[in-house]
PDB file of all heavy atoms in Angstrom:
ATOM      1  N   ILE A  93     109.035 105.692 122.515  1.00  0.00           N
ATOM      2  CA  ILE A  93     108.427 104.943 123.649  1.00  0.00           C
ATOM      3  C   ILE A  93     108.854 103.445 123.484  1.00  0.00           C
ATOM      4  O   ILE A  93     108.350 102.774 122.643  1.00  0.00           O
ATOM      5  CB  ILE A  93     106.866 105.083 123.605  1.00  0.00           C
ATOM      6  CG1 ILE A  93     106.492 106.579 123.594  1.00  0.00           C
ATOM      7  CG2 ILE A  93     106.317 104.376 124.802  1.00  0.00           C
ATOM      8  CD1 ILE A  93     105.009 106.875 123.445  1.00  0.00           C
ATOM      9  N   PRO A  94     109.758 102.979 124.330  1.00  0.00           N
ATOM     10  CA  PRO A  94     110.183 101.609 124.136  1.00  0.00           C
ATOM     11  C   PRO A  94     109.050 100.616 124.195  1.00  0.00           C
ATOM     12  O   PRO A  94     108.119 100.766 125.018  1.00  0.00           O
ATOM     13  CB  PRO A  94     111.095 101.466 125.370  1.00  0.00           C
ATOM     14  CG  PRO A  94     111.570 102.855 125.669  1.00  0.00           C
ATOM     15  CD  PRO A  94     110.414 103.762 125.412  1.00  0.00           C
ATOM     16  N   GLY A  95     109.100  99.628 123.296  1.00  0.00           N
ATOM     17  CA  GLY A  95     108.111  98.623 123.325  1.00  0.00           C
ATOM     18  C   GLY A  95     106.784  99.000 122.614  1.00  0.00           C
ATOM     19  O   GLY A  95     105.879  98.134 122.596  1.00  0.00           O
ATOM     20  N   ARG A  96     106.750 100.097 121.987  1.00  0.00           N
ATOM     21  CA  ARG A  96     105.628 100.499 121.202  1.00  0.00           C
ATOM     22  C   ARG A  96     106.077 101.147 119.823  1.00  0.00           C
ATOM     23  O   ARG A  96     107.060 101.839 119.763  1.00  0.00           O
ATOM     24  CB  ARG A  96     104.741 101.633 121.872  1.00  0.00           C
ATOM     25  CG  ARG A  96     104.260 101.146 123.258  1.00  0.00           C
ATOM     26  CD  ARG A  96     103.439 102.254 123.846  1.00  0.00           C
ATOM     27  NE  ARG A  96     102.996 101.924 125.252  1.00  0.00           N
ATOM     28  CZ  ARG A  96     102.212 102.649 125.927  1.00  0.00           C
ATOM     29  NH1 ARG A  96     101.808 103.795 125.467  1.00  0.00           N
ATOM     30  NH2 ARG A  96     101.917 102.286 127.156  1.00  0.00           N
ATOM     31  N   MET A  97     105.482 100.769 118.777  1.00  0.00           N
ATOM     32  CA  MET A  97     105.785 101.329 117.458  1.00  0.00           C
ATOM     33  C   MET A  97     104.635 101.246 116.459  1.00  0.00           C
ATOM     34  O   MET A  97     103.762 100.382 116.565  1.00  0.00           O
ATOM     35  CB  MET A  97     107.035 100.631 116.858  1.00  0.00           C
ATOM     36  CG  MET A  97     106.811  99.272 116.332  1.00  0.00           C
ATOM     37  SD  MET A  97     108.232  98.585 115.367  1.00  0.00           S
ATOM     38  CE  MET A  97     108.190  99.565 113.910  1.00  0.00           C
ATOM     39  N   HIS A  98     104.734 102.082 115.465  1.00  0.00           N
ATOM     40  CA  HIS A  98     103.740 102.053 114.376  1.00  0.00           C
ATOM     41  C   HIS A  98     104.324 101.047 113.315  1.00  0.00           C
ATOM     42  O   HIS A  98     104.932 101.428 112.382  1.00  0.00           O
ATOM     43  CB  HIS A  98     103.534 103.437 113.762  1.00  0.00           C
ATOM     44  CG  HIS A  98     102.437 104.190 114.387  1.00  0.00           C
ATOM     45  ND1 HIS A  98     101.138 103.813 114.360  1.00  0.00           N
ATOM     46  CD2 HIS A  98     102.513 105.345 115.189  1.00  0.00           C
ATOM     47  CE1 HIS A  98     100.375 104.696 115.060  1.00  0.00           C
ATOM     48  NE2 HIS A  98     101.212 105.612 115.518  1.00  0.00           N
ATOM     49  N   ALA A  99     104.138  99.740 113.586  1.00  0.00           N
ATOM     50  CA  ALA A  99     104.614  98.737 112.677  1.00  0.00           C
ATOM     51  C   ALA A  99     103.616  98.295 111.662  1.00  0.00           C
ATOM     52  O   ALA A  99     103.884  97.247 110.929  1.00  0.00           O
ATOM     53  CB  ALA A  99     105.070  97.481 113.552  1.00  0.00           C
ATOM     54  N   CYS A 100     102.475  98.907 111.622  1.00  0.00           N
ATOM     55  CA  CYS A 100     101.464  98.558 110.564  1.00  0.00           C
ATOM     56  C   CYS A 100     101.066  99.733 109.692  1.00  0.00           C
ATOM     57  O   CYS A 100     100.257  99.605 108.826  1.00  0.00           O
ATOM     58  CB  CYS A 100     100.209  97.981 111.264  1.00  0.00           C
ATOM     59  SG  CYS A 100      99.278  96.904 110.239  1.00  0.00           S
ATOM     60  N   GLY A 101     101.660 100.867 109.900  1.00  0.00           N
ATOM     61  CA  GLY A 101     101.394 102.014 109.109  1.00  0.00           C
ATOM     62  C   GLY A 101     100.148 102.831 109.380  1.00  0.00           C
ATOM     63  O   GLY A 101      99.778 103.662 108.532  1.00  0.00           O
ATOM     64  N   HIS A 102      99.612 102.653 110.573  1.00  0.00           N
ATOM     65  CA  HIS A 102      98.443 103.424 110.909  1.00  0.00           C
ATOM     66  C   HIS A 102      98.672 104.951 111.076  1.00  0.00           C
ATOM     67  O   HIS A 102      97.812 105.715 110.875  1.00  0.00           O
ATOM     68  CB  HIS A 102      97.790 102.897 112.197  1.00  0.00           C
ATOM     69  CG  HIS A 102      97.270 101.465 112.075  1.00  0.00           C
ATOM     70  ND1 HIS A 102      96.591 100.862 113.090  1.00  0.00           N
ATOM     71  CD2 HIS A 102      97.400 100.606 111.038  1.00  0.00           C
ATOM     72  CE1 HIS A 102      96.301  99.594 112.761  1.00  0.00           C
ATOM     73  NE2 HIS A 102      96.747  99.449 111.500  1.00  0.00           N
ATOM     74  N   ASP A 103     100.011 105.254 111.346  1.00  0.00           N
ATOM     75  CA  ASP A 103     100.401 106.680 111.296  1.00  0.00           C
ATOM     76  C   ASP A 103     100.136 107.200 109.908  1.00  0.00           C
ATOM     77  O   ASP A 103      99.691 108.316 109.740  1.00  0.00           O
ATOM     78  CB  ASP A 103     101.795 106.835 111.796  1.00  0.00           C
ATOM     79  CG  ASP A 103     102.808 105.885 111.155  1.00  0.00           C
ATOM     80  OD1 ASP A 103     102.357 104.908 110.503  1.00  0.00           O
ATOM     81  OD2 ASP A 103     103.992 106.084 111.253  1.00  0.00           O
ATOM     82  N   GLY A 104     100.517 106.457 108.875  1.00  0.00           N
ATOM     83  CA  GLY A 104     100.317 106.882 107.543  1.00  0.00           C
ATOM     84  C   GLY A 104      98.854 106.977 107.098  1.00  0.00           C
ATOM     85  O   GLY A 104      98.473 107.871 106.415  1.00  0.00           O
ATOM     86  N   HIS A 105      98.075 106.010 107.538  1.00  0.00           N
ATOM     87  CA  HIS A 105      96.737 105.979 107.210  1.00  0.00           C
ATOM     88  C   HIS A 105      96.045 107.293 107.724  1.00  0.00           C
ATOM     89  O   HIS A 105      95.181 107.864 107.106  1.00  0.00           O
ATOM     90  CB  HIS A 105      95.955 104.781 107.821  1.00  0.00           C
ATOM     91  CG  HIS A 105      96.506 103.458 107.346  1.00  0.00           C
ATOM     92  ND1 HIS A 105      96.243 102.267 107.923  1.00  0.00           N
ATOM     93  CD2 HIS A 105      97.347 103.178 106.321  1.00  0.00           C
ATOM     94  CE1 HIS A 105      96.865 101.296 107.326  1.00  0.00           C
ATOM     95  NE2 HIS A 105      97.548 101.781 106.289  1.00  0.00           N
ATOM     96  N   THR A 106      96.349 107.583 109.028  1.00  0.00           N
ATOM     97  CA  THR A 106      95.836 108.750 109.681  1.00  0.00           C
ATOM     98  C   THR A 106      96.148 110.039 108.947  1.00  0.00           C
ATOM     99  O   THR A 106      95.299 110.875 108.674  1.00  0.00           O
ATOM    100  CB  THR A 106      96.325 108.886 111.154  1.00  0.00           C
ATOM    101  OG1 THR A 106      95.838 107.699 111.893  1.00  0.00           O
ATOM    102  CG2 THR A 106      95.820 110.128 111.853  1.00  0.00           C
ATOM    103  N   VAL A 107      97.432 110.208 108.541  1.00  0.00           N
ATOM    104  CA  VAL A 107      97.834 111.390 107.874  1.00  0.00           C
ATOM    105  C   VAL A 107      97.348 111.486 106.433  1.00  0.00           C
ATOM    106  O   VAL A 107      97.008 112.568 105.986  1.00  0.00           O
ATOM    107  CB  VAL A 107      99.394 111.548 107.955  1.00  0.00           C
ATOM    108  CG1 VAL A 107      99.865 112.738 107.162  1.00  0.00           C
ATOM    109  CG2 VAL A 107      99.823 111.661 109.416  1.00  0.00           C
ATOM    110  N   MET A 108      97.214 110.318 105.757  1.00  0.00           N
ATOM    111  CA  MET A 108      96.574 110.373 104.405  1.00  0.00           C
ATOM    112  C   MET A 108      95.233 110.964 104.518  1.00  0.00           C
ATOM    113  O   MET A 108      94.822 111.787 103.648  1.00  0.00           O
ATOM    114  CB  MET A 108      96.521 108.933 103.803  1.00  0.00           C
ATOM    115  CG  MET A 108      97.786 108.508 103.140  1.00  0.00           C
ATOM    116  SD  MET A 108      97.535 107.009 102.054  1.00  0.00           S
ATOM    117  CE  MET A 108      96.998 105.805 103.202  1.00  0.00           C
ATOM    118  N   LEU A 109      94.445 110.500 105.465  1.00  0.00           N
ATOM    119  CA  LEU A 109      93.085 111.064 105.591  1.00  0.00           C
ATOM    120  C   LEU A 109      93.020 112.533 106.056  1.00  0.00           C
ATOM    121  O   LEU A 109      92.171 113.246 105.634  1.00  0.00           O
ATOM    122  CB  LEU A 109      92.237 110.145 106.562  1.00  0.00           C
ATOM    123  CG  LEU A 109      90.638 110.397 106.537  1.00  0.00           C
ATOM    124  CD1 LEU A 109      90.142 110.365 105.137  1.00  0.00           C
ATOM    125  CD2 LEU A 109      90.037 109.366 107.404  1.00  0.00           C
ATOM    126  N   LEU A 110      94.014 112.863 106.900  1.00  0.00           N
ATOM    127  CA  LEU A 110      94.025 114.324 107.315  1.00  0.00           C
ATOM    128  C   LEU A 110      94.413 115.174 106.106  1.00  0.00           C
ATOM    129  O   LEU A 110      93.867 116.276 105.923  1.00  0.00           O
ATOM    130  CB  LEU A 110      95.085 114.446 108.379  1.00  0.00           C
ATOM    131  CG  LEU A 110      94.667 114.010 109.786  1.00  0.00           C
ATOM    132  CD1 LEU A 110      95.880 114.070 110.707  1.00  0.00           C
ATOM    133  CD2 LEU A 110      93.510 114.822 110.265  1.00  0.00           C
ATOM    134  N   ALA A 111      95.338 114.719 105.218  1.00  0.00           N
ATOM    135  CA  ALA A 111      95.726 115.509 104.077  1.00  0.00           C
ATOM    136  C   ALA A 111      94.464 115.651 103.167  1.00  0.00           C
ATOM    137  O   ALA A 111      94.297 116.736 102.630  1.00  0.00           O
ATOM    138  CB  ALA A 111      96.871 114.857 103.310  1.00  0.00           C
ATOM    139  N   ALA A 112      93.681 114.594 103.032  1.00  0.00           N
ATOM    140  CA  ALA A 112      92.520 114.696 102.187  1.00  0.00           C
ATOM    141  C   ALA A 112      91.518 115.634 102.788  1.00  0.00           C
ATOM    142  O   ALA A 112      90.819 116.423 102.176  1.00  0.00           O
ATOM    143  CB  ALA A 112      91.861 113.280 101.997  1.00  0.00           C
TER     144      ALA A 112
END
Side-chain angles (χ1 to χ4, degrees):
I93 305 173
R96 300 181 184 181
M97 74 169 289
H98 272 294
C100 204
H102 296 185
D103 48 347
H105 301 166
T106 297
V107 174
M108 277 197 295
L109 192 52
L110 285 172

